[in-house]
Amino acid sequence: MTRLPQVPHYKTRRVELPEVSRVIGGMTTQAASGEPSGTSLKSLPSPLLFGWRVAVKGRWDVEIVNECTWNGMTWIVTLRSGDQIPVSQVLSVGAVDREGNITSAWDVRRHGIDGTR
């Protein structure tokens, strides 16, 4: 029987970082302030477009997207009904053409909010 080599045990220590960044929708954002680096908030591309259909956590009916805006911390989806929800409540998305026919649909958990993951 072959024995596996001994792996040395390393002690871990906490390291404080001066600034922590994260990527949101392809843009680098400073986590502390929520402000995108090198771009304006208006230039962030919306992950959901007007007229797209979404299934929302805790609702039975399919909702229609009116707009999707960045509030500095998260995407807020305004539905045709007037309700505003965080994008984290969206379970699945259906993209539509000009006539309102669904051209593609995806599960957010598997493919991301914009379907590109």
Side-chain angles (χ1 to χ4, degrees):
M1 180 191 299
T2 306
R3 293 191 72 182
L4 295 175
Q6 282 277 350
V7 177
H9 176 72
Y10 294 99
K11 290 185 178 180
T12 59
R13 63 186 171 114
R14 185 178 206 148
V15 177
E16 296 296 326
L17 300 175
E19 287 187 29
V20 178
S21 296
R22 62 182 173 189
V23 175
I24 298 174
M27 307 295 283
T28 302
T29 302
Q30 299 301 322
S33 67
E35 293 295 323
S37 60
T39 186
S40 71
L41 289 178
K42 300 232 182 248
S43 68
L44 287 173
S46 174
L48 298 174
L49 299 181
F50 175 81
W52 282 11
R53 300 336 190 237
V54 291
V56 179
K57 195 179 296 183
R59 299 184 186 205
W60 288 99
D61 295 332
V62 172
E63 302 283 347
I64 299 173
V65 175
N66 222 20
E67 71 176 336
C68 188
T69 54
W70 177 252
N71 72 359
M73 297 297 289
T74 188
W75 287 100
I76 300 296
V77 181
T78 304
L79 304 172
R80 184 161 293 166
S81 64
D83 294 342
Q84 291 186 327
I85 60 166
V87 77
S88 61
Q89 296 293 309
V90 175
L91 299 174
S92 60
V93 179
V96 297
D97 61 14
R98 289 184 180 188
E99 289 80 37
N101 301 315
I102 294 179
T103 57
S104 60
W106 58 90
D107 176 68
V108 171
R109 186 182 302 170
R110 175 169 257 195
H111 301 287
I113 193 68
D114 60 358
T116 59
R117 183 172 17 150

